[in-house]
Amino acid sequence: MLKYCLYLLPLLLITAGCRQQRPVNNEVLHSPLLYSQTVKQLTDVVVHDIFSPPVASRIYVYSTIAGYEVIAHSGKGYRSLAGQLHGLDATPAPADSAAIDFPFAALIALSTTGKALIFSEDKLQLVIDSLQLLAREAGLPAHKREASIAYGQQMAKVILDWCKEDNYAQTRSGVKYTVTEEEGRWTPTPPAYMSAIEPQWNQIRTMVIDSANEFMVPPPPAFNMKDSASDFYKMTREIYDMGMTLTDEQKAIADFWDCNPYKLNLSGHVSFATKKITPGGHWINICGIAARQAKADFNKTVCTYAKVAIALMDAFIVCWDEKFRSNLIRPETVINKYWDESWKPYLQTPPFPEYTSGHSVVSTASATVLTQLYGPSLAFRDSSELDFGLPSRDFPSFLAASREAAESRLYGGIHFRPAVEEGIVQGRQVGEMVVKRLKMEP
């Protein structure tokens, strides 16, 4: 757990050195980098606890909304999400605004909410303790620290109470996915042969969109491996041939966007798992990169995380609704059964139906929101995968990055092309709806 303290150590040292020069070091305590570091610590716990991509999106959305709602009551022009998100009634304003350090309270709200939604609570408690130490070392008066902590905790409680009504608990005991013998339907894939993840995710309350099936796409091509002229046969052939001729660049793209939270590795008779950031977590990290690149202040940084997280949440709901409606077989299963028993995709196939591509939906939704916030041509270097041993990649825009993320699933051999193309359409529709309906920035 020591590493969680180390994140804040440089800031603590800077603050301690500055206390003799001025009573309160707001430059450190109100740094947007501090907020991004705290979100990164939440991501580290999400990875550690191996949350699935849809569940991870739920953790991000409620945590970042809690932080944002504090800022919305700071009098800086940001508007509350109450009445804009389904089921979210008025959130509390502080009894005495002058007694609140709003950035510090937002950090407390974010981390307190996150702590309640993960397994390794001790890791987030250590983050909370470090933030409180930072506030004290920054010279924030005791009465302001106490009032700000209380307000952040109050906001976290309100958001967590709202969170409990999203039907998540009910889906924990829902009917499990049943494998059928019908041709063309999804079945578990090697090497873990895991059961389908979150088959009832379309029952989770949406954030902005009206329903899980608001943005339905055309059904995938009908399963047909007997006719070489059929669309299904052709799209299978594309993936098979591509997998046999991947370039080093295509492999690098597939690896960069893999974002598999649980990969089972086999070495002889030994198996072991490796953990990675989820696709939603990757885009949450890009939020911090974008905010730093654009020199966004604390409040806009908080707004960025919340707005993208809302798009992520609705994108996963829409995508999972289609996945378990179309229930389409994965390329690996088709190719192994009909053509080549030894063929393996470059990436490990994730445990849920194929259509549409989750990466395509959530990446495009996120990129659409980020484009609205920072413009269509903000170039950035994405270092999100450095923690997992992969080099950074440069992109001329958010939409260029989202397009590469979508196409990476073709290179990885885990999606057919229609899942990618229609997933992009779904993601754009979700992102545009979030941009249209949410009134957040001044």
Side-chain angles (χ1 to χ4, degrees), residues 276-299:
K276 284 187 177 181
I277 197 170
T278 64
H282 192 136
W283 281 95
I284 287 293
N285 199 63
I286 290 175
C287 289
I289 294 171
R292 291 193 296 274
Q293 182 77 10
K295 296 180 171 56
D297 63 13
F298 189 97
N299 291 350

Side-chain angles (χ1 to χ4, degrees), residues 199-217:
Q200 297 183 339
W201 200 252
N202 64 347
Q203 297 179 27
I204 301 296
R205 178 186 59 201
T206 58
M207 290 281 146
V208 173
I209 63 175
D210 293 331
S211 66
N213 61 8
E214 183 169 359
F215 299 120
M216 291 179 63
V217 293

Side-chain angles (χ1 to χ4, degrees), residues 338-389:
Y338 291 93
W339 287 345
D340 185 348
E341 291 183 357
S342 65
W343 187 88
K344 293 181 179 180
Y346 181 71
L347 297 180
Q348 192 168 112
T349 303
F352 35 81
E354 190 270 346
Y355 186 82
T356 51
S357 157
H359 272 61
S360 304
V361 180
V362 304
S363 296
T364 309
S366 300
T368 300
V369 172
L370 284 167
T371 298
Q372 179 261 324
L373 287 167
Y374 295 106
S377 56
L378 180 70
F380 66 99
R381 173 164 292 179
D382 186 357
S383 58
S384 300
E385 298 296 322
L386 287 178
D387 286 351
F388 308 102

Side-chain angles (χ1 to χ4, degrees), residues 85-224:
L85 302 180
H86 299 311
L88 181 61
D89 298 325
T91 55
D96 180 8
S97 294
I100 305 299
D101 185 284
F102 285 93
F104 177 49
L107 288 159
I108 295 298
L110 166 76
S111 50
T112 301
T113 305
K115 176 188 171 184
L117 297 174
I118 47 85
F119 300 140
S120 301
E121 295 184 13
D122 58 321
K123 296 183 183 300
L124 262 296
Q125 184 58 54
L126 191 56
V127 172
I128 294 169
D129 294 343
S130 297
L131 290 169
Q132 294 182 12
L133 174 61
L134 179 61
R136 184 167 64 251
E137 292 298 320
L140 192 66
H143 74 280
K144 272 207 166 188
R145 289 201 311 272
E146 294 169 3
S148 301
I149 291 169
Y151 182 53
Q153 292 172 339
Q154 180 188 17
M155 187 63 74
K157 182 180 184 305
V158 168
I159 298 303
L160 288 168
D161 286 345
W162 170 55
C163 167
K164 292 174 184 176
E165 300 171 354
D166 70 356
N167 210 39
Y168 177 78
Q170 291 81 348
T171 61
R172 300 307 88 192
S173 58
V175 177
K176 303 300 182 183
Y177 172 86
T178 301
V179 176
T180 71
E181 298 299 324
E182 184 180 354
E183 275 197 326
R185 299 307 174 204
W186 182 85
T187 58
T189 51
Y193 295 95
M194 293 174 62
S195 298
I197 288 177
E198 301 297 340
Q200 297 183 339
W201 200 252
N202 64 347
Q203 297 179 27
I204 301 296
R205 178 186 59 201
T206 58
M207 290 281 146
V208 173
I209 63 175
D210 293 331
S211 66
N213 61 8
E214 183 169 359
F215 299 120
M216 291 179 63
V217 293
F223 182 82
N224 186 344

Side-chain angles (χ1 to χ4, degrees), residues 15-52:
T15 304
C18 293
R19 283 191 66 187
Q20 296 178 354
Q21 301 176 23
R22 53 186 175 186
V24 182
N25 186 3
N26 286 335
E27 182 179 351
V28 173
L29 192 58
H30 297 176
S31 167
L33 177 59
L34 177 59
Y35 196 85
S36 292
Q37 287 177 324
T38 305
V39 175
K40 175 61 167 60
Q41 290 160 354
L42 176 61
T43 291
D44 288 345
V45 180
V46 168
V47 172
H48 177 274
D49 288 351
I50 319 178
F51 286 104
S52 70

